[in-house]
């Protein structure tokens, strides 16, 4: 049975993590997994420091080539050719024919959405990543059938739970009455997982608003 898994990983799990830590940017890898050890993928960079992203990652050992495809305001699209065999997260996905559907950065973690063939594959991925010192958190696992509804039309139960708890606890108040750590303690998950859930909820709500606006 094909499964969809949402995974939270530390920024250090992917080579671009250093750019997120040192610059005011958010990254989104376009849907793909390199089919071979070396391949070209595309990454959107958003934020005030988007123009500085290229210099921040060009010298990374796993990056063979980096090309600016285009930029608009505080967004830039780069094509990157990398050696996936030097990136344990990607190498493990390739070995198991897993598909990376989405990959987004938050302030201190990566949020990955995967399509895999079985629970056994998820177990193998967790073990292999742990063997490389990558501490991952599998935040949500569901069937492909449960994912058929367009993302812009619904929040997942876990996203809604995190969003409402954050609202109730004053996380969105001008003077915050709670923190990601405290929200995570109530939900029984890490602060990184809370941040990932909230970010996905924001995006889903924004997509819904965009789609419901009448054409101008």
């Amino acid at each position: 049975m094909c499964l969809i898994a949402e995974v939270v990983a530390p920024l250090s799990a992917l080579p671009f993590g250093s750019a997120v830590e040192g610059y005011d940017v958010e990254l989104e890898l376009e849907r793909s997994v390199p089919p071979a050890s070396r391949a070209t993928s595309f990454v959107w960079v958003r934020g005030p420091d988007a123009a500085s992203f290229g210099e921040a990652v060009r010298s990374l050992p796993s990056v063979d080539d980096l090309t600016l495809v285009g930029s608009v305001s505080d967004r830039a699209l780069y094509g990157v050719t990398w050696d996936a065999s030097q990136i344990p997260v990607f190498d493990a996905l390739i070995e198991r024919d897993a598909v990376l559907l989405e990959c987004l950065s938050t302030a201190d973690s990566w949020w990955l959405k995967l399509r895999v063939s079985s629970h056994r594959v998820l177990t193998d991925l967790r073990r292999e990543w742990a063997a490389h010192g990558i501490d991952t958190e599998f935040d949500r696992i569901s069937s492909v059938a449960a994912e058929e509804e367009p993302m812009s039309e619904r929040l997942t139960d876990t996203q809604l739970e995190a969003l409402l708890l954050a609202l109730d606890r004053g996380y969105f108040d001008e003077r915050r009455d709670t923190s990601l750590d405290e929200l995570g303690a109530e939900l029984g998950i890490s602060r990184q997982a809370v941040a990932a859930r909230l970010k996905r909820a924001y995006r889903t709500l924004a997509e819904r608003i965009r789609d419901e606006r009448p054409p101008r």
Side-chain angles (χ1 to χ4, degrees):
M1 178 179 66
C2 224
L3 298 170
I4 302 296
E6 298 178 8
V7 183
V8 178
L11 285 177
S12 58
L14 296 179
F16 297 153
S18 58
V20 179
E21 291 176 328
Y23 295 84
D24 188 5
V25 293
E26 293 183 348
L27 308 184
E28 178 180 359
L29 275 66
E30 290 202 340
R31 175 177 172 174
S32 69
V33 160
S37 294
R38 279 182 167 80
T40 299
S41 298
F42 295 91
V43 56
W44 279 103
V45 184
R46 299 180 176 89
D49 294 338
S52 306
F53 171 79
E55 294 305 317
V57 302
R58 196 179 302 276
S59 60
L60 294 173
S62 57
V63 176
D64 294 337
D65 185 52
L66 187 74
T67 304
L68 177 62
V69 177
S71 61
V72 179
S73 185
D74 61 349
R75 294 182 299 160
L77 177 64
Y78 288 87
V80 57
T81 302
W82 46 25
D83 183 356
S85 65
Q86 294 188 37
I87 308 171
V89 169
F90 289 159
D91 193 39
L93 294 177
I94 294 167
E95 289 294 323
R96 291 160 181 81
D97 293 324
V99 178
L100 181 64
L101 300 174
E102 296 182 63
C103 182
L104 307 171
S105 71
T106 65
D108 53 9
S109 63
W110 291 99
W111 180 88
L112 296 84
K113 186 175 184 179
L114 314 176
R115 185 172 68 232
V116 300
S117 59
S118 67
H119 284 282
R120 175 62 182 272
V121 171
L122 293 177
T123 300
D124 290 345
L125 288 173
R126 186 197 296 269
R127 288 175 177 170
E128 181 163 342
W129 291 337
H132 285 89
I134 301 172
D135 184 18
T136 54
E137 183 174 352
F138 283 68
D139 189 37
R140 180 172 178 263
I141 301 171
S142 61
S143 67
V144 170
E147 296 290 319
E148 290 182 352
E149 188 177 357
M151 179 61 74
S152 60
E153 293 182 7
R154 55 105 172 101
L155 295 171
T156 66
D157 291 342
T158 56
Q159 290 167 7
L160 182 59
E161 179 186 32
L163 191 63
L164 293 180
L165 181 63
L167 181 63
D168 290 343
R169 298 295 184 268
Y171 181 76
F172 301 117
D173 294 352
E174 186 173 352
R175 295 182 178 179
R176 285 183 175 172
D177 293 329
T178 190
S179 66
L180 291 176
D181 290 301
E182 292 170 327
L183 292 173
E186 287 200 53
L187 293 169
I189 58 178
S190 68
R191 71 183 309 276
Q192 291 88 350
V194 177
R197 289 184 186 183
L198 290 177
K199 183 170 184 177
R200 292 300 301 159
Y202 303 155
R203 179 168 178 168
T204 298
L205 293 173
E207 288 174 350
R208 181 183 299 171
I209 293 170
R210 178 199 62 194
D211 294 344
E212 291 178 353
R213 291 180 64 187
R216 294 182 177 180

